[in-house]
Amino acid sequence: KQEVTQIPAALSVPEGENLVLNCSFTDSAIYNLQWFRQDPGKGLTSLLLIQSSQREQTSGRLNASLDKSSGRSTLYIAASQPGDSATYLCAVRPVETSGSRLTFGEGTQLTVNP
Amino acid sequence: KAGVTQTPRYLIKTRGQQVTLSCSPISGHRSVSWYQQTPGQGLQFLFEYFSETQRNKGNFPGRFSGRQFSNSRSEMNVSTLELGDSALYLCASSLAGGAIQETQYFGPGTRLLVL
């Protein structure tokens, strides 16, 4: 059974700092991995999707990497801003299930202090 | 293009009642998935519908059910509500739910409180 873990559970940094969020998964048989952002009480916003054959994806100040063989992904946020404060979730789409079912980690709650 | 919409946004029910939540996917999307989010359990998969057929089901009791209409809109129903059903219910849509590069788009959620 696929399990996804995110470390740390919470992170507080000063504005302008570069930071890394970590995600690990137990079964490397995945189609893809997605990083989402969730603001308090709101839905999820997709940030980046990395296919299983890819190593990284970039969007603006965000860079996500994937090492499928070791079951790890990182989300790098450059020059953090207070507006980046949110919970960041990673999710994998396991090969063992059909369709679009995702398995989520518990999330990392990020606070960027002005 | 309009995003995923969910109605109602907030709901208060009492134990034993039933509730129906609605999700309208992005136009052209045929796959709709439902998730339950609670502080203790995180995001858990409920079920997925594609072309009016349930394609996947999570580990939830039979009190949780759903359906999808020909226009891809989906509803989920929870009967005999329990206090533990209090949660944020999220719906996600994607084009076909099968392509490797396919992104899923989430709605704002329905916040259900069971008293």
Side-chain angles (χ1 to χ4, degrees):
Chain A
K1 181 191 166 190
Q2 178 74 264
E3 291 183 1
V4 180
T5 305
Q6 291 186 245
I7 295 173
L11 183 62
S12 181
V13 300
E15 181 177 3
E17 194 162 295
N18 301 326
L19 57 101
V20 174
L21 307 181
N22 297 291
C23 172
S24 61
F25 45 97
T26 55
D27 187 344
S28 62
I30 62 170
Y31 285 122
N32 61 48
L33 183 145
Q34 270 189 265
W35 282 93
F36 294 89
R37 168 190 171 134
Q38 185 175 32
D39 293 286
K42 303 287 181 62
L44 277 61
T45 300
S46 179
L47 298 173
L48 290 164
L49 180 147
I50 312 177
Q51 298 177 39
S52 61
S53 59
Q54 297 176 324
R55 297 286 291 182
E56 64 179 321
Q57 283 287 339
T58 298
S59 176
R61 294 183 294 109
L62 305 179
N63 176 278
S65 69
L66 174 65
D67 183 344
K68 199 176 71 158
S69 60
S70 67
R72 293 181 185 177
S73 175
T74 61
L75 179 66
Y76 174 82
I77 302 177
S80 58
Q81 303 170 357
D84 295 330
S85 298
T87 296
Y88 290 80
L89 295 143
C90 76
V92 298
R93 198 174 131 217
V95 170
E96 65 180 354
T97 57
S98 60
S100 56
R101 176 175 182 165
L102 297 177
T103 301
F104 282 86
E106 292 288 322
T108 293
Q109 186 173 6
L110 172 66
T111 303
V112 181
N113 302 299
Chain B
K1 228 182 205 182
V4 179
T5 58
Q6 292 188 244
T7 57
R9 294 292 313 278
Y10 304 93
L11 211 45
I12 300 176
K13 292 285 187 179
T14 56
R15 278 181 299 174
Q17 287 187 308
Q18 76 166 16
V19 67
T20 299
L21 312 181
S22 179
C23 171
S24 292
I26 292 172
S27 178
H29 285 195
R30 295 166 62 195
S31 168
V32 174
S33 299
W34 289 89
Y35 293 83
Q36 180 196 66
Q37 186 176 32
T38 59
Q41 299 294 319
L43 270 152
Q44 292 190 292
F45 174 81
L46 281 156
F47 27 65
E48 179 197 1
Y49 285 87
F50 177 74
S51 292
E52 301 179 63
T53 301
Q54 188 180 86
R55 185 158 66 176
N56 255 311
K57 190 178 190 308
N59 190 25
F60 278 81
R63 301 184 297 105
F64 291 82
S65 63
R67 59 178 175 168
Q68 186 180 35
F69 302 95
S70 58
N71 62 358
S72 294
R73 188 177 70 87
S74 177
E75 288 181 347
M76 68 163 280
N77 183 77
V78 188
S79 62
T80 319
L81 284 166
E82 300 177 359
L83 295 179
D85 297 333
S86 295
L88 181 65
Y89 289 88
L90 293 162
C91 152
S93 82
S94 61
L95 272 171
I100 292 174
Q101 73 277 17
E102 205 167 85
T103 298
Q104 291 199 49
Y105 298 89
F106 281 76
T110 293
R111 172 77 64 184
L112 172 65
L113 177 62
V114 182
L115 301 176

